[in-house]
Amino acid sequence: MGLLFGSFLNVVIARVPAGESIVHPRSRCPRCGHQLAWYENIPVLSWLALRARCSSCGLPISWRYPLIELLTALLFLACQRRFGWTPELVAALVLVLLLVPLSFIDLEHWILPHELTWPGIAAGVVLSWPMGWGRVQDAIIGAVVGFLVFWGMEWLGEKIFKKEALGAGDKDLLALIGAFLTWKPLLAVIFLSSLQGAVVGSLLLLVRGRAGPAPDPEPGPESTPAPPVGPEPVDTGGEEKKAEDEEEEEDDWEPGPTSIPFGPWLSLAALEVMLLGPLLREVLPVPLDMLFAGAR
Ligand SMILES: [Zn+2]
């Protein structure tokens, strides 16, 4: 099931940012338009059998396709082991089906489409219904608190640092995570995502001079060097020059070398808290254990 849903998530990742339908038309090669036969569309196996190339034009098929299928399958398996055959399993699987595409879309396009986050917030509240009324209340509080925390940080960032510290979609994503996991582990989610994002971002910045993925090559016809400001500034040791112009137009925003997309880190932290919460509470020292007190 995870492999099949993962295959569908590949379609979501490719089409939702482009504003295309996810049910029509059938899957085709992006270069030559060759429509995939059913045997060319079997998760992982077809990619291996085709040797990662389109059977019609020979265009390489990205390793991202089998990766997402395998990743979704592994996460489905982990959810089943964690929750058993319970209503919580259904909610956990739906959360996986939202966080995987949101992460990969954010990595590629630096956006978290509200076509996914807004219905996701509603799904989180609705799916907590079988777990009792108390859980529904906690889910609603979680969505509101998640949104308000990042809204507050954004407001502060604009007032004090005069720059955009968080992408607009991060508010919706934290609200979504709050709706699924309730408000209780939100602090742990923010802590884990910031820590891991900062560590990995700094390492990548050292190794290849860029903390996040390279910006989308499509929109800018002539790529001017992006100013070194953006969401999640990571300390670089003062080598970079400061951006001269403070005024940044919303639409022309380009991720600088110190920018990281925050969505994948929030998603990773949410999955860690959901799947490993009890384990983390046992392993971590007492003060950190308090962070995870809300993790079921
Ligand atoms: Zn082709």
Side-chain angles (χ1 to χ4, degrees):
M1 287 296 281
L3 285 172
L4 287 175
F5 273 104
S7 182
F8 172 67
L9 291 185
N10 276 314
V11 177
V12 172
I13 292 165
R15 293 190 188 173
V16 166
E20 294 168 4
S21 163
I22 51 172
V23 286
H24 187 84
R26 292 186 49 190
S27 299
R28 44 180 77 234
C29 168
R31 183 157 81 179
C32 70
H34 166 68
Q35 198 175 77
L36 298 187
W38 65 266
Y39 53 83
E40 289 176 309
N41 215 356
I42 300 167
V44 184
L45 294 180
S46 292
W47 186 81
L48 291 173
L50 291 166
R51 292 164 202 266
R53 292 192 176 277
C54 169
S55 66
S56 176
C57 70
L59 175 79
I61 308 169
S62 169
W63 49 267
R64 200 182 70 186
Y65 290 91
L67 172 81
I68 284 165
E69 287 157 359
L70 282 174
L71 176 68
T72 310
L74 286 174
L75 287 172
F76 267 38
L77 184 65
C79 289
Q80 200 282 328
R81 301 299 290 256
R82 168 81 172 83
F83 296 112
W85 302 106
T86 60
E88 280 182 290
L89 175 63
V90 179
L93 295 181
V94 172
L95 182 59
V96 166
L97 291 177
L98 290 161
L99 293 184
V100 169
L102 282 168
S103 299
F104 282 89
I105 290 171
D106 201 17
L107 274 176
E108 189 175 354
H109 302 281
W110 299 78
I111 51 165
L112 294 164
H114 59 75
E115 287 88 344
L116 292 174
T117 49
W118 293 354
I121 294 167
V125 173
V126 169
L127 289 172
S128 58
W129 196 269
M131 293 169 248
W133 175 238
R135 172 76 183 211
V136 175
Q137 286 176 312
D138 286 346
I140 295 170
I141 296 170
V144 173
V145 168
F147 184 88
L148 287 181
V149 166
F150 272 6
W151 180 80
M153 284 170 63
E154 191 176 70
W155 185 83
L156 273 178
E158 275 166 20
K159 286 282 162 207
I160 296 170
F161 303 108
K162 300 271 187 271
K163 69 181 180 190
E164 201 183 357
L166 283 163
D170 291 325
K171 293 192 291 287
D172 299 333
L173 179 56
L174 195 63
L176 185 156
I177 292 169
F180 274 91
L181 303 184
T182 78
W183 55 274
K184 292 171 189 165
L186 281 184
L187 198 58
V189 168
I190 295 170
F191 171 77
L192 279 176
S193 56
S194 310
L195 182 71
Q196 293 172 111
V199 169
V200 176
S202 304
L203 285 177
L204 287 175
L205 193 64
L206 278 174
V207 172
R208 26 156 244 177
R210 178 170 270 287
D216 226 353
E218 285 168 296
E222 269 146 83
S223 55
T224 47
V229 287
E232 272 307 293
V234 180
D235 191 27
T236 57
E239 221 180 68
E240 56 179 278
K241 61 176 167 49
K242 287 270 166 273
E244 295 304 316
D245 43 335
E246 295 289 284
E247 300 299 322
E248 273 190 71
E249 285 118 271
E250 186 89 355
D251 293 325
D252 289 346
W253 182 83
E254 280 260 327
T258 58
S259 311
I260 59 166
F262 203 34
W265 296 109
L266 281 173
S267 302
L268 177 66
L271 292 173
E272 285 168 347
V273 165
M274 180 174 81
L275 296 170
L276 307 173
L279 184 78
L280 290 172
R281 285 177 68 184
E282 278 183 31
V283 174
L284 290 174
V286 176
L288 279 176
D289 166 296
M290 299 283 287
L291 258 183
F292 295 91
R296 290 157 292 138

